[in-house]
């Protein structure tokens, strides 16, 4: 029994190895997202590496991340600018409406929040599936919208995972101190892994599949 503890493929070593991979993935994503405008390429690269981890085809997190980060960098930067603009406008609108009073303001706030959530769901597969995609920027958006309509609960789950750290920092007292640290150390990698695990299972993606293959 003691000999099994030192086997490389025993359950404990496997779990700890995966935790280490997700920690390295979190750090990679966090560092490459620091300029803010690069959050698109960074998220796309993190999702691609997370998919390799799900498929057990990863060959080194840092090397795979950098390779995925450089691939389709321009297309993913366009996605970055779109997401930043969308959520900046949504945040400003919600902030402005929240300062108003009356029942009408509450209704408008709810409608705006719902519209922002739907838009997020429609775009929720753009970056997770861009790593192996050969589609243009606009085609990726159209594909994401189609997949979201096919699996709305999955799309909603993706949005929840991405929004979770921001929600915690907004509503939980003191979370602005520990949430960034937690997401830098492990949370980002776990979120990306969960998104890709659910996505691969839901659409039955195989290791060599691309988003285009899924729609053929």
């Amino acid at each position: 029994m003691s000999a099994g503890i030192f086997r490389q493929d025993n359950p404990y070593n496997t779990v700890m190895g995966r935790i280490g991979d997700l920690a390295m993935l979190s750090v990679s994503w966090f560092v490459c997202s620091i300029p803010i405008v690069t959050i698109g390429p960074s998220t796309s690269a993190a999702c691609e590496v997370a998919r390799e981890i799900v498929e057990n085809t990863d060959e080194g997190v840092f090397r795979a991340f950098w390779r995925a980060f450089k691939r389709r960098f321009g297309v993913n930067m366009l996605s970055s600018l779109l997401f930043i603009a969308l959520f900046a406008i949504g945040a400003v609108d919600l902030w402005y409406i929240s300062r108003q009073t009356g029942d009408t303001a509450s209704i408008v706030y709810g409608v705006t929040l719902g519209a922002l959530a739907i838009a997020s769901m429609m775009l929720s597969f753009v970056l997770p599936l861009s790593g192996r995609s050969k589609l243009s920027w606009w085609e990726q958006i159209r594909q994401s919208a189609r997949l979201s309509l096919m699996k709305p609960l999955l799309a909603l789950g993706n949005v929840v995972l991405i929004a979770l750290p921001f929600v915690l920092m907004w509503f939980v007292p003191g979370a602005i101190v520990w949430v960034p640290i937690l997401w830098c150390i492990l949370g980002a990698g776990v979120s990306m892994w969960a998104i890709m695990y659910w996505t691969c299972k839901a659409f039955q993606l195989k290791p060599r599949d691309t988003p285009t293959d899924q729609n053929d």
Side-chain angles (χ1 to χ4, degrees):
M1 181 176 177
S2 59
I5 298 176
F6 299 99
R7 287 176 51 192
Q8 189 172 1
D9 61 344
N10 76 66
Y12 175 80
N13 286 340
T14 300
V15 170
M16 294 306 296
R18 283 299 175 231
I19 292 175
D21 289 341
L22 296 178
M24 289 188 288
L25 182 58
S26 295
V27 172
S28 300
W29 176 84
F30 188 84
V31 169
C32 290
S33 297
I34 289 176
I36 303 300
V37 294
T38 58
I39 196 168
S42 183
T43 301
S44 174
C47 286
E48 175 58 22
V49 176
R51 180 173 174 178
E52 292 180 3
I53 292 174
V54 170
E55 297 169 343
N56 287 317
T57 60
D58 57 303
E59 299 178 354
V61 171
F62 291 137
R63 182 170 52 221
F65 183 92
W66 183 242
R67 182 174 62 247
F69 183 81
K70 294 185 294 182
R71 185 175 185 269
R72 293 173 64 81
F73 181 83
V75 173
N76 290 325
M77 278 295 293
L78 286 176
S79 298
S80 258
L81 297 176
L82 172 64
F83 295 147
I84 291 171
L86 174 64
F87 295 116
I89 293 172
V92 170
D93 285 346
L94 291 174
W95 173 81
Y96 177 78
I97 297 169
S98 67
R99 297 175 66 86
Q100 310 304 309
T101 58
D103 294 337
T104 302
S106 299
I107 294 173
V108 173
Y109 188 93
V111 170
T112 303
L113 185 61
L116 185 61
I118 292 172
S120 301
M121 290 172 63
M122 292 296 103
L123 297 171
S124 65
F125 292 103
V126 172
L127 293 175
L129 294 178
S130 66
R132 303 182 191 184
S133 177
K134 297 179 181 178
L135 301 177
S136 68
W137 178 71
W138 177 243
E139 288 172 334
Q140 282 187 204
I141 292 177
R142 292 176 59 190
Q143 172 187 254
S144 179
R146 289 196 300 270
L147 296 179
S148 298
L149 292 174
M150 291 170 59
K151 303 287 184 180
L153 292 180
L154 176 59
L156 180 60
N158 290 350
V159 172
V160 169
L161 282 175
I162 294 298
L164 181 59
F166 303 102
V167 173
L168 290 175
M169 287 189 290
W170 184 266
F171 291 104
V172 178
I176 196 169
V177 175
W178 58 266
V179 165
I181 297 174
L182 177 60
W183 249 250
C184 173
I185 295 174
L186 189 61
V190 172
S191 296
M192 304 301 176
W193 179 88
I195 288 172
M196 297 314 300
Y197 178 82
W198 293 337
T199 299
C200 290
K201 291 293 185 182
F203 296 109
Q204 299 181 339
L205 295 178
K206 298 176 182 178
R208 293 184 179 275
D209 279 350
T210 66
T212 306
D213 295 329
Q214 183 63 31
N215 289 328
D216 286 344

